[in-house]
Amino acid sequence: MTDTTRFTGHAALITGAARGIGAATAARLAREGARVLLTDVDPDAAERTAEALRGRGLAVEARVCDVTDRASAEAAVAHAADTFGALDVLVNNAYSCTPDTGRFEDEPDTTWARDLDTTLTGAYRCCRAALPHLAASGRGAIVSIGSVNGVQDFGNHAYSAAKAGLASLTRTLAGHAAPRGVRVNLVVPGTVRTTAWEGRDAQLAAVRRLYPLGRVGEPDDIAAAVAFLASRDAAWITGTTLTVDGGLTAVNAGFRQAVAEVT
């Protein structure tokens, strides 16, 4: 539990925030003083999360937002700016990850379109709507949630391509937005224990052995990184990728283990 107040007076909008990383980020920013608009395509789940956070005395509101719909994304941004009087932080967390088919040539166009439209183009829509407000705030920051899937092969063709695209968008938008005083950065998580892994404890246990730090991530691990990049502690950081993956992409644990087993 943090007791800092880095976001006192700030307003933030988070997409895909009803659960998991998004919900943890909403809690983290609100605990540090931000007023947070928690958005999700599932309005009931978003409201339950917001209600739970308000029960802890945090300034959180919920609103439905479908990032695949331009009007919905723009309405959410406008609501945040109107309700809070400004918008200082945008966190792009909404995503879609559809399991691959057995063979690449059997992948339907709908899978590709859905994953890219939600994960990459959805972030683009939100950035486009939010940028004027972030520039006007004088301390605007965009933090998008990438994935190690955008860096190495962990399966999921469309999702991985979308996450790799977010890294490129982060760099190009950072250059465009810097003269307007807006910073743009990306957090790249490894495996994080969220609802996406519910009922897959055996798989999580197997995956854990591949992490040099000996565990998979928790939503709070990613929320802490987002809070840093969104805060003035990162005032001279833009266009960067912060990898938060327990050492997964830096250390080939499987190789080390294979060598150790025959040594």
Side-chain angles (χ1 to χ4, degrees):
M1 181 70 118
T2 180
D3 59 359
T4 62
T5 55
R6 290 182 296 184
F7 295 101
T8 297
H10 288 60
L13 186 157
I14 305 171
T15 66
R19 53 184 66 83
I21 291 170
T25 301
R28 178 67 185 246
L29 297 185
R31 286 203 312 268
E32 294 199 34
R35 295 162 295 167
V36 178
L37 181 62
L38 182 158
T39 73
D40 201 277
V41 72
D42 183 340
D44 293 335
E47 181 55 41
R48 286 194 297 271
T49 299
E51 185 176 357
L53 293 177
R54 287 194 295 268
R56 293 158 53 185
L58 302 178
V60 178
E61 293 193 16
R63 181 183 174 91
V64 66
C65 177
D66 179 358
V67 299
T68 68
D69 179 78
R70 177 174 182 172
S72 182
E74 290 178 347
V77 168
H79 180 80
D82 291 344
T83 300
F84 302 139
L87 182 63
D88 306 288
V89 177
L90 169 67
V91 180
N92 292 306
N93 176 66
Y95 75 95
S96 173
C97 181
T98 307
D100 291 334
T101 56
R103 299 187 306 170
F104 182 77
E105 58 265 37
D106 294 332
E107 292 277 349
D109 285 357
T110 52
T111 295
W112 183 268
R114 179 171 55 250
D115 285 6
L116 264 74
D117 196 27
T118 304
T119 309
L120 177 57
T121 311
Y124 158 75
R125 292 185 184 99
C126 292
C127 289
R128 180 177 57 192
L131 190 55
H133 300 285
L134 297 172
S137 83
R139 56 191 180 190
I142 297 171
V143 183
S144 297
I145 307 300
S147 171
V148 292
N149 282 60
V151 180
Q152 292 183 5
D153 171 28
F154 295 98
N156 300 109
H157 303 296
Y159 170 79
S160 298
K163 291 297 191 180
L166 272 179
S168 179
L169 178 61
T170 294
R171 293 187 294 269
T172 59
L173 186 55
H176 173 82
R180 301 168 72 179
V182 178
R183 297 179 301 103
V184 187
N185 292 292
L186 183 75
V187 173
V188 172
T191 305
V192 178
R193 192 190 310 275
T194 66
T195 54
W197 288 90
E198 281 184 355
R200 301 165 66 188
D201 292 343
Q203 288 180 313
L204 273 181
V207 165
R208 177 179 56 80
R209 295 194 294 270
L210 300 177
Y211 282 84
L213 288 181
R215 66 174 177 88
V216 298
E218 301 294 340
D220 285 343
D221 293 318
I222 312 307
V226 173
F228 164 66
L229 288 174
S231 77
R232 298 305 296 173
D233 287 342
W236 208 45
I237 300 175
T238 195
T240 198
T241 293
L242 176 57
T243 303
V244 187
D245 70 349
L248 178 68
T249 55
V251 179
N252 192 326
F255 179 87
R256 286 175 173 267
Q257 182 177 352
V259 170
E261 288 174 351
V262 298
T263 300

